[in-house]
């Protein structure tokens, strides 16, 4: 503290803060900064989203090269569809969960949350800025993985038909929807639990183990429509399962949308409630 | 999470309150954690433009009152005003010009010092962005601002915490044990910075500490808190004196009995008793009577080997009031000394 020189004159009356839009934009930028600089989370998210696609194309290409008669080229529409499932329903959600959980617990886990609360900014605003920041980073990662998938689908297509514009557009939308929903729910759950390990374990266990298991129990009937992954799969532009629109469980478009909205709304509400009421 | 029960929100409008001469004012502030009462009807008055010490042993409730004032936890009863604004009713307005370090300053370790300030600046509002560099310069961290906080020492983190407070251009700084982790040089610099903020800039600094010496050297006034109660509050000098002016002497004499007899008959002496150091004498009047007392003893044949005015320290007073609390915890009244 050697440089002790006044930074300001005598304090005056409280001044008005910047416009709420400017503040919201700054807060979003700050939350994005925290996330993108969290190297461990970003690296693991990239590994989970990108590495499976790389491995997928690498293995397919090697198989095709070793036995072109038995194995088709690694690109084309079919492999694009398979890769899209990998990105949207298997590994992409894991990346989304990591990013969402980091966004939901980042401030609280290092004890910075209270320093943000003492600024007088509402806790709801602090919570709200986490969601778009997490989504932004999640989608950057997923778009990267999707770009790789697309490139591989064309590069390794050989004589196979390549994905058309509509399929590419719908595929990207599906990937962003599937991972975005998981990311937002992860933010909500992590804000609720304030525990990074607990939130990650619960979300991955639900997504990877419980959801497919419950969806496969046919005796549960139409109640399986409430399973998030089934509702998301309904929006797939490619075949991903046995039911309508490629899902295991058949449901209408409106029902699928409703299920997704309810899941998102419930977890956002829980996360917001916890952020608003917890001791900082 | 305790629910906010009975916290009054019926304070006068902010326009009338914001000009109050007090930076912090609480009435009957109570906070309970289950069966345990952490704050027990705290009445606190912190004048603006002063450095105010909030003294107490560990677990006395120092951090709890800070957390309550800042809205980090809800009170169970009582009223609070910060910079004249009722809290929690107008908490956002109250905290806009408050900078605070609660317990130890925490940061995102994977970010640089400057990035950490940018995050708080984003939350406080765009007008605070311009204060980042001056704040870093003020605490002497300009050259290390680009390094990740995980490479900072504890002292540097404390300074970065102060820089974070300065982003608010604070009228009131609330610092919880601010010299923890600082070396003696750092403590001295910190003390100078606090005094500059108060004397040159008119800011109010509220310092919670269990370091009596630190508060005595840094603060203008203080409150002593123990077991969730404010035991006594007032200026440092008044606190040290114990609420009244007590002029005392320590005497070294060659004949204690004769000295006690002589002093017992003197109208200049209110009380004289044996002490570890020799005799402890409380004067009845002006401290200038010391020479006369010395002459009286010499005339009576007592050899005086030592004659030393007692300097009342805050530490003595602290030990007095906290030990007195041990004796009668339930009946102790809050004592206010001085004006």
């Amino acid at each position: 503290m050697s440089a002790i020189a006044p930074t300001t004159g005598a304090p005056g009356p409280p001044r008005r803060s910047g416009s709420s839009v400017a503040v919201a934009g700054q807060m979003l930028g700050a939350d994005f900064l925290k996330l993108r600089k969290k190297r461990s989370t970003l690296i693991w998210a990239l590994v989970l989203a990108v590495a499976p696609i790389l491995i997928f194309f690498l293995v397919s290409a090697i198989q095709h090269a070793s036995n072109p008669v038995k194995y088709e080229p690694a690109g084309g529409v079919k492999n694009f569809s398979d890769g899209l499932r990998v990105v949207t329903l298997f590994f992409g959600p894991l990346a989304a969960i990591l990013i969402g959980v980091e966004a939901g617990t980042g401030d609280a886990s290092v004890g910075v949350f209270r320093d943000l609360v003492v600024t007088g900014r509402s806790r709801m605003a602090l919570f709200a800025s986490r969601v778009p920041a997490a989504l932004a980073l999640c989608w950057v990662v997923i778009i990267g993985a999707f770009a790789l998938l697309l490139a591989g689908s064309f590069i390794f297509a050989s004589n196979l038909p390549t994905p058309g514009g509509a399929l590419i557009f719908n595929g990207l939308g599906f990937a962003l929807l599937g991972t975005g929903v998981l990311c937002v729910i992860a933010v909500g759950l992590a804000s609720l639990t304030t525990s990074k390990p607990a939130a990650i374990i619960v979300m991955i266990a639900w997504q990877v183990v419980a959801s497919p298991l419950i969806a496969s129990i046919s005796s549960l009937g139409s109640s399986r429509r409430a399973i998030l992954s089934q509702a998301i799969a309904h929006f797939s532009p490619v075949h991903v399962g046995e039911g309508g629109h490629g899902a295991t469980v058949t449901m209408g478009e409106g029902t699928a949308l409703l299920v997704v909205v309810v899941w998102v709304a419930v977890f956002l509400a829980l996360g917001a409630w916890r952020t608003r009421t917890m001791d900082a | 999470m305790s629910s906010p029960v009975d916290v009054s929100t019926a304070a006068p409008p902010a326009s009338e309150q914001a000009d109050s001469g007090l930076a912090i004012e609480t009435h009957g502030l109570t906070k309970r954690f289950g069966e345990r009462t952490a704050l027990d009807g705290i009445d606190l008055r912190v004048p603006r433009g002063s450095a105010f010490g909030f003294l107490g042993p560990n677990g006395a409730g120092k951090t709890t009152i800070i957390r309550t004032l800042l809205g980090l936890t809800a009170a169970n009863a009582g009223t609070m005003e910060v910079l004249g604004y009722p809290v929690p009713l107008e908490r956002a307005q109250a905290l806009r010009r408050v900078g605070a370090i609660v317990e130890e300053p925490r940061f995102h370790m994977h970010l640089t010092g400057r990035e950490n300030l940018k995050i708080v600046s984003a939350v406080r509002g765009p007008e605070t962005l311009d204060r980042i560099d001056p704040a870093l310069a003020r605490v002497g961290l300009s050259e290390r601002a680009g390094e990740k906080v995980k490479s900072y020492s504890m002292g540097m983190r404390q300074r970065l915490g102060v820089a974070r407070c300065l982003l608010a251009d604070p009228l009131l700084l609330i610092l919880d044990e601010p010299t923890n982790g600082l070396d003696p040089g750092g403590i001295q610099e910190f003390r100078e910075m606090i005094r500059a903020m108060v004397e040159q800039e008119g800011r109010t600094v509220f310092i919670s500490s269990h370091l009596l010496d630190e508060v005595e050297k840094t603060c203008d006034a203080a409150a002593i808190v123990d077991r969730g109660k404010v035991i006594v509050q007032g200026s440092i000098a008044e606190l040290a004196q114990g609420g009244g002016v007590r002029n005392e002497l320590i005497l070294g004499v060659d004949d204690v009995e004769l000295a006690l007899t002589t002093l017992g008959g003197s109208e200049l002496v209110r009380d004289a008793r044996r002490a570890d150091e020799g005799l402890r004498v409380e004067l009845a009047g002006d401290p200038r009577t010391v020479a006369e007392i010395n002459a009286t003893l010499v005339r009576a044949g007592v050899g005086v080997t030592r004659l030393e005015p007692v300097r009342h320290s805050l530490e003595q007073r602290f030990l007095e009031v906290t030990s007195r609390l041990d004796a009668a915890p339930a009946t102790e009244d809050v004592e206010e000394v001085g004006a």
Side-chain angles (χ1 to χ4, degrees):
Chain A
M1 256 167 286
S2 51
I4 299 178
T7 58
T8 58
R15 283 169 289 192
R16 215 170 66 83
S17 259
S19 76
S20 55
V21 174
V23 172
Q26 274 199 326
M27 288 174 66
L28 197 161
D31 273 305
F32 189 75
L33 173 73
K34 285 182 252 179
L35 287 174
R36 78 176 170 81
K37 290 269 184 155
K38 189 75 178 178
R39 210 171 287 173
S40 57
T41 302
L42 185 59
I43 287 172
W44 275 111
L46 280 169
V47 166
L48 285 168
V50 173
I53 298 296
L54 282 174
I55 294 168
F56 171 75
F57 280 121
L58 189 66
V59 171
S60 299
I62 291 171
Q63 284 177 328
H64 176 67
S66 62
N67 190 348
V69 178
K70 187 177 178 185
Y71 298 104
E72 287 190 332
V77 172
K78 182 183 175 302
N79 286 314
F80 174 80
S81 300
D82 290 344
L84 187 62
R85 280 196 305 168
V86 169
V87 170
T88 308
L89 299 177
F90 296 106
F91 290 99
L94 299 185
I97 288 168
L98 284 188
I99 291 169
V101 167
E102 179 62 41
T105 59
D107 290 334
S109 64
V110 298
V112 170
F113 181 62
R114 68 175 172 222
D115 294 300
L116 300 179
V117 171
V118 301
T119 62
R121 185 67 59 194
S122 85
R123 293 177 181 223
M124 286 299 89
L126 296 176
F127 174 78
S129 69
R130 296 172 187 167
V131 178
L135 266 181
L137 187 65
C138 171
W139 282 347
V140 165
V141 170
I142 295 303
I143 286 171
F146 187 84
L148 192 65
L149 170 65
L150 200 58
S153 300
F154 278 87
I155 291 168
F156 298 114
S158 188
N159 57 344
L160 294 176
T162 52
L167 180 58
I168 292 171
F169 182 78
N170 290 333
L172 178 61
F174 178 54
L176 297 182
L177 173 75
T179 54
V181 165
L182 262 294
C183 182
V184 171
I185 290 173
V187 173
L189 179 68
S191 300
L192 176 68
T193 63
T194 67
S195 163
K196 203 178 291 183
I200 289 175
I201 289 168
V202 166
M203 287 223 54
I204 290 179
W206 172 256
Q207 183 68 15
V208 176
V209 182
S211 289
L213 193 66
I214 295 169
S216 69
I217 304 172
S218 56
S219 60
L220 291 175
S222 60
S223 62
R224 293 177 297 162
R225 289 174 184 165
I227 299 170
L228 179 65
S229 57
Q230 292 300 308
I232 290 173
H234 184 85
F235 295 100
S236 172
V238 297
H239 183 80
V240 294
E242 296 162 357
H245 292 276
T248 305
V249 181
T250 307
M251 68 181 90
E253 225 164 69
T255 307
L257 186 62
L258 182 66
V259 168
V260 169
V261 168
V262 167
W263 272 85
V264 169
V266 165
F267 278 92
L268 281 182
L270 289 171
W273 167 79
R274 178 74 171 140
T275 305
R276 188 174 60 82
T277 57
M278 72 177 183
D279 278 0
Chain B
M1 165 83 191
S2 305
S3 53
V5 181
D6 295 335
V7 176
S8 168
T9 53
S15 55
E16 294 172 26
Q17 290 292 298
D19 292 326
S20 157
L22 297 172
I24 297 172
E25 187 172 13
T26 72
H27 294 288
L29 194 63
T30 301
K31 172 68 183 177
R32 286 183 286 270
F33 295 103
E35 294 295 307
R36 191 174 70 84
T37 301
L39 302 178
D40 190 1
I42 295 274
D43 293 328
L44 193 63
R45 295 165 63 84
V46 178
R48 288 190 188 223
S50 68
F52 190 93
F54 197 56
L55 267 171
N58 292 331
K62 302 188 297 295
T63 299
T64 302
I65 195 168
I66 288 176
R67 291 169 58 81
T68 309
L69 284 167
L70 295 171
L72 298 177
T73 187
N76 295 100
T79 60
M80 305 174 268
E81 284 175 17
V82 174
L83 295 176
Y85 295 98
V87 176
L89 186 65
E90 295 183 45
R91 180 179 165 275
Q93 191 65 20
L95 297 186
R96 183 167 291 173
R97 298 291 299 277
V98 174
I101 299 178
V102 186
E103 296 170 297
E104 63 182 281
R106 301 287 188 89
F107 300 96
H108 288 284
M109 296 294 177
H110 66 288
L111 299 180
T112 67
R114 180 176 278 105
E115 286 168 341
N116 270 283
L117 295 195
K118 273 185 183 173
I119 284 168
V120 173
S121 175
V123 174
R124 283 203 176 271
E127 76 278 4
T128 62
L129 272 172
D130 294 339
R131 297 186 193 134
I132 291 176
D133 285 331
L136 285 166
R138 173 146 196 180
V139 299
L141 280 179
S142 293
E143 291 181 4
R144 303 282 303 269
E147 295 177 23
K148 289 184 176 175
V149 173
K150 66 183 172 190
S151 70
Y152 284 17
S153 67
M154 183 63 193
M156 290 170 71
R157 288 176 199 173
Q158 287 281 15
R159 289 194 264 161
L160 188 62
V162 173
R164 184 164 58 188
C165 292
L166 293 175
L167 294 179
D169 190 13
L171 293 168
L172 169 64
L173 270 130
I174 297 178
L175 306 174
D176 191 6
E177 307 280 3
T179 54
N180 276 359
L182 297 184
D183 58 26
I187 290 173
Q188 175 64 25
E189 288 177 351
F190 190 86
R191 190 183 303 148
E192 288 170 2
M193 188 176 70
I194 297 297
R195 291 311 312 171
M197 285 179 176
V198 172
E199 290 165 7
Q200 296 169 21
E201 301 165 31
R203 304 183 199 273
T204 307
V205 183
F206 181 88
I207 299 174
S208 143
S209 181
H210 64 276
L211 301 175
L212 302 157
D213 184 56
E214 193 51 45
V215 168
E216 194 165 16
K217 286 176 178 166
T218 310
C219 297
D220 307 301
I224 296 176
V225 61
D226 198 10
R227 297 179 190 177
K229 284 176 179 282
V230 171
I231 309 304
V232 60
Q233 58 184 307
S235 74
I236 295 294
E238 290 161 350
L239 284 177
Q241 292 283 1
V245 178
R246 286 187 300 154
N247 295 310
E248 288 186 305
L249 294 175
I250 292 172
L251 286 176
V253 293
D254 60 2
D255 188 339
V256 173
E257 289 303 325
L258 180 57
L260 281 172
T261 305
T262 306
L263 293 174
S266 170
E267 59 185 19
L268 302 173
V269 173
R270 180 176 294 150
D271 182 45
R273 61 187 187 279
R274 290 175 188 272
D276 293 340
E277 320 91 306
L279 288 178
R280 199 171 182 96
V281 178
E282 186 176 344
L283 305 184
D286 197 286
R288 286 171 294 188
T289 57
V290 170
E292 204 170 328
I293 289 172
N294 184 38
T296 304
L297 288 170
V298 171
R299 277 197 299 270
V302 178
V304 178
T305 57
R306 180 185 179 193
L307 198 154
E308 180 184 337
V310 173
R311 180 181 170 273
H312 294 279
S313 71
L314 193 59
E315 182 175 3
Q316 277 178 311
R317 181 65 176 146
F318 178 82
L319 292 172
E320 279 174 25
V321 296
T322 51
S323 61
R324 199 170 49 169
L325 192 72
D326 279 336
T331 57
E332 188 64 47
D333 290 326
V334 176
E335 185 180 334
E336 191 149 358
V337 295

